[in-house]
Amino acid sequence: MASTSIQNISHWKYDAFLSFRGADTRKRFTGHLYAALKNKGLYVFKDDKELERGRSIPLELLKAIEESRISIIVFSQNYASSTWCLDELVKIVECKNAEDQIFPIFYDVEPTVVTKQTGNFHEAFAKHEEVFRDNKEKVQKWRDILKEVANISGWELKQSNESELIEEIVNVVSSKIRTKPETLKELVGMDSRCEKLRFLMDSGSSDVRMIGICGMGGLGKTTIARVVYDLISHEFEASGFLDNVREISSKGGLVSLQRQLLSQLLKLADNSIWNVFDGIDMLGSRLQRKKVLLVIDDVVDVKQLQSLAGNREWFGSGSRIIITSRDEHLLKTHGVDEVYKPHGLNYDEALQLFNMKAFKTYQPLQECVQLSARIIRYAGGLPLALEVLGSFLSGRSVDEWRSTLERLEIEPPSEILDILQISFDGLQELEKKIFLDIACFFKGNDRDYVTNFLEGCGFHPVIGIRVLIEKCLITVHNNTLWMHDLLQELGQQIVQRQSPEELGKRSRLWKEEEVCHVLTESTGTELVEGIVLDNYHHENEVYLCASAKAFSKMTNLRLLKICNLQLPNGLEYLSNRLRLLGWRGYPLKFLPSNLQMDKTIEIYMCYSRIGELWKGIKHLDKLKVMILSHSENLIRMPDFTGAPNLEKLILEGCTRLYEIHPSLLLHNKLIILNMKDCTSLITLPGKILMKSLEKLVLSGCSKLKKFPDIVGSMECLLKLLLDGTAIEELPLSIKLLSKLVLLVLNNCKNLKSLPTTISGLKCLSTLDVSGDLKFREFPEIVEHMEHLSELHLEGTAIRGLPLSIELLSGLVLLNLKNCRSLEILPVTVSNLKCLRSLKLSGCSKLKKFPEIVRSMKDLSELFLDGTSIKEVPSSIELLTKLELLNLSDCKNLVRLPSSIIALKSLKTLNLSGCFKLENVPETLGQIESLEELDISGTAVPHSTSWYSYIPINLMRKSVALKLPSLSALFHFQQALPIFLSF
């Protein structure tokens, strides 16, 4: 989106050419028409020379006709008497080959007079024929051209009001000129953006509407406003475009803008405005009856709007005010009706704009295709960047292109940064700090996470981040903070300019080579506020060595996030102002003894060698997150009484951890506690009451034998994972986990049973006891558990289910796969109306599937493969939504019931390996939905006549059929003509 105006884009020099008989209309109608066209901003050629009759038309006049987009012909009574006018007309028709390029006006002359050449036109041609008796072809051509043009639809003055007719002509002509598609030739991506803005303007409405265009610098806001202004300004009685209000206001004040506005809208230079209040009074009183189009560009202060477009009552019905700004809050404060936030150019649009600037064509040079793609990715859809870079690279060699790209990695062009810097300069100090932190450290991070950190720094980020969003410096997608790459470059450049040479005097360090230099050379100073170096994801992790005094001068360090930094001589000092201590692979057993962490919000020390955090009670009032995963030397957790606001504690993989302080399980604010794979943990303190806990993970604590007693309501706990532990039983107090949704107990090899109080878990959705080899009995369900949707008992030693299973009325999945001791299913299973999948695969002792006494209306999958059932009950017809029935390897199955025909939804039937099954019911062919049938390994005869056992109706369908043997397949091929004959 170039910032060039429409007029400059066209190859036409003039918008319109005026052809007229000077003596008839010059000082009256044509003069007024020319002034009206000019006031609309149209560039019109009007010849003011009086030439003697008979003189030939000059070349500059012919050229003006060629260079004009349209021609307006004013036919008057004496028009035909001028050979000049007639020659003009011939040239106009030669150049303008479309009717919408010629606009005839009949001034005090009837169109039929011009067409038939009667009256004054007859007299004029009589003289022409005498003068040009030797060139009759010329006169005849004039006659023909007059007839042709006079037949084009135009305007006839007659008794019309002259001023009203001129206004109509100007509006139509202006509309024709402005809507020509060629005018947008170089404005890439403009059509859709203009359409969106015009939709928001709601041009059909008679009320006064204010529309804001908001976006970061260089996005093309002014260009969009300019294009729409040029396209529709003819529809308004008055129009004005106040460009670059921010800069003009700072230099000449608001009064100069008010004067400019009055000049544009009312065509008067009123020097009686000496202060802003006079301007407000004049604007508010003189425009009330005018339908106005006004663009106020680049507003940075609401006072500017109050002085230039204070309220809707200033303007007449149907007026439209367009305001561009980088500050969304400013626009909303002023009360705009809509805020349009245009997106950057997509890849194809960006490529088109860049090619136009770099190559003056839409096609790049072949050797520059890949380089162009890199530049487009760098520009990130920002039109300003594409224009600057494209223009800079135009005409340069490939080597110069490569050199430019290398330089861009170090420093973006100043023309781009200077535009972006304007937004940064308008921020308050705390907002600047937040912006720089995001640019250097937190782009792509979770908004809540960053807000929590910045709050601890005293930056008031809730309002600060909102301001940055409103000023289009950052965006939020899926609660993640983002900013344009060039804005990030701006922030990082600002930090680098703080101290170009001495790295240790910059406020923020994030580049690997710079961080390494400062830490290994101990050059950091009190100016350093943050260090981030996440290089652990490198294929070959880099280990650096630093002296014990590496951090000794960084007294204002509030953010430290590094990894693999070795300290051969220990560590003497860390800043007491640290809000985030992130040190992956911390190499020492202890933190510095003089370290005060009363301001620390997060401690992240995965894979560290730390053995003990602190002794006694340490006051960590602001600590919210502690992550010590895979710190294999950690043996005990300290007293957490002094960390009352801790919300997240991750100890996963701390394989030597064996002792948990009782204060941890009585913590009131902890939300997540993860002790997965703490394989040395044998016991937990005797009681637990964690009022805020939502997730407790003890998975893989293979030596943990007992879960502590719950001594009070823990209604926030949603997930309890105890899989892979040595727990033998759950306490009766488990019922106090009233909001528990997930309970995982799979592979608890010592678990024998569940307490009956488990029925008190009214919100439980998933219960998984799979693989618990000693688990033999599912408890009686004494209360309805309507929210339990999944019950996994796969691989347990359970022998049966209680009749009370029907109280699990919301059960969707019942998984009893490979329960090899299961002998019987209660008939009440059929009362599970919501059940969709019943898995009994591998239950080798199950000899009978119970009668279905009620419709299991939602059951779609029934797995009976590997069971010992002999027959399928005829009541299977009640499973009206069954889609899959797996009976493979049911070695005792001898028949299928004829009622199987009732399974109208059945798609897959697997009978493979049922070697006692001798035939397939004839009714099977009537199941229209059947798509797959497997009868391989059954007792269906293998003789040449085996196909007589398969229903003919089934053979007519496109069913995936697996046959008993290869010989059967051969005979099927031979028998295929028989089937085709049916």
Side-chain angles (χ1 to χ4, degrees), residues 31-43:
H32 299 319
L33 176 60
Y34 174 76
L37 290 168
K38 187 177 179 182
N39 286 339
K40 274 293 182 183
L42 301 181
Y43 190 23

Side-chain angles (χ1 to χ4, degrees), residues 425-455:
D425 291 341
L427 299 175
Q428 295 186 16
E429 285 306 311
L430 287 180
E431 293 159 2
K432 289 180 178 180
K433 284 179 173 289
I434 294 172
F435 175 79
L436 294 178
D437 270 2
I438 295 173
C440 298
F441 302 139
F442 295 127
K443 178 184 173 182
N445 280 232
D446 179 77
R447 179 179 183 172
D448 296 334
Y449 172 81
V450 178
T451 298
N452 185 49
F453 169 76
L454 296 174
E455 190 71 58

Side-chain angles (χ1 to χ4, degrees), residues 130 143 301 371 511 536 541 695 735 811 824 940:
E130 182 180 344
R143 287 183 180 276
D301 190 334
L371 297 173
K511 291 186 176 181
Y536 67 87
E541 293 191 30
K695 183 177 182 180
K735 64 181 180 181
L811 205 61
I824 189 169
V940 174

Side-chain angles (χ1 to χ4, degrees), residues 612 614-619 638-642 661:
E612 190 172 7
W614 63 80
K615 294 181 179 180
I617 297 176
K618 198 172 187 69
H619 294 289
D639 192 332
F640 282 92
T641 305
H661 194 276

Side-chain angles (χ1 to χ4, degrees), residues 629-765:
S629 306
H630 307 287
S631 296
E632 296 182 354
N633 290 337
L634 190 64
I635 57 173
R636 63 172 64 88
M637 294 309 296
D639 192 332
F640 282 92
T641 305
N645 295 304
L646 186 65
E647 296 178 355
K648 183 177 181 180
L649 178 59
I650 309 296
L651 302 170
E652 180 178 345
C654 295
T655 54
R656 296 184 185 179
L657 180 67
Y658 72 90
E659 183 179 337
I660 299 295
H661 194 276
S663 63
L664 182 59
L665 297 192
L666 299 175
H667 201 287
N668 285 329
K669 294 286 185 69
L670 203 62
I671 296 173
I672 298 175
L673 176 56
N674 184 349
M675 293 188 283
K676 181 181 179 182
D677 295 330
C678 292
T679 51
S680 296
L681 192 63
I682 298 175
T683 183
L684 292 173
K687 57 185 180 180
I688 181 172
L689 177 58
M690 306 176 76
K691 294 180 179 180
S692 300
L693 194 66
E694 296 178 6
K695 183 177 182 180
L696 176 56
V697 182
L698 292 164
S699 308
C701 295
S702 54
K703 295 181 181 179
L704 184 66
K705 296 182 178 181
K706 184 178 180 181
F707 189 80
D709 284 327
I710 304 159
V711 295
S713 174
M714 290 178 60
E715 60 182 21
C716 291
L717 189 63
L718 303 176
K719 298 179 180 181
L720 177 57
L721 283 72
L722 298 169
D723 48 304
T725 64
I727 286 177
E728 298 178 357
E729 61 180 4
L730 291 178
L732 294 172
S733 55
I734 193 77
K735 64 181 180 181
L736 294 176
L737 307 181
S738 57
K739 297 295 175 64
L740 195 67
V741 172
L742 174 66
L743 177 56
V744 180
L745 292 157
N746 60 295
N747 294 318
C748 294
K749 301 190 183 329
N750 293 329
L751 185 68
K752 297 179 180 179
S753 64
L754 295 174
T756 56
T757 54
I758 202 165
S759 300
L761 303 179
K762 298 295 185 183
C763 296
L764 194 64
S765 173

Side-chain angles (χ1 to χ4, degrees), residues 97-142:
N97 55 13
E99 285 192 0
D100 62 353
Q101 293 178 315
I102 299 176
F103 295 83
I105 301 169
F106 302 92
Y107 181 81
D108 283 345
V109 62
E110 297 284 342
T112 56
V113 171
V114 181
T115 304
K116 298 179 180 180
Q117 289 142 30
T118 60
N120 287 6
F121 279 69
H122 175 74
E123 295 175 4
F125 272 99
K127 294 178 181 178
H128 293 327
E129 287 176 346
E130 182 180 344
V131 173
F132 296 100
R133 53 181 174 271
D134 296 332
N135 192 358
K136 292 182 179 180
E137 293 82 3
K138 183 179 184 72
V139 177
Q140 186 58 44
K141 188 170 186 178
W142 286 344

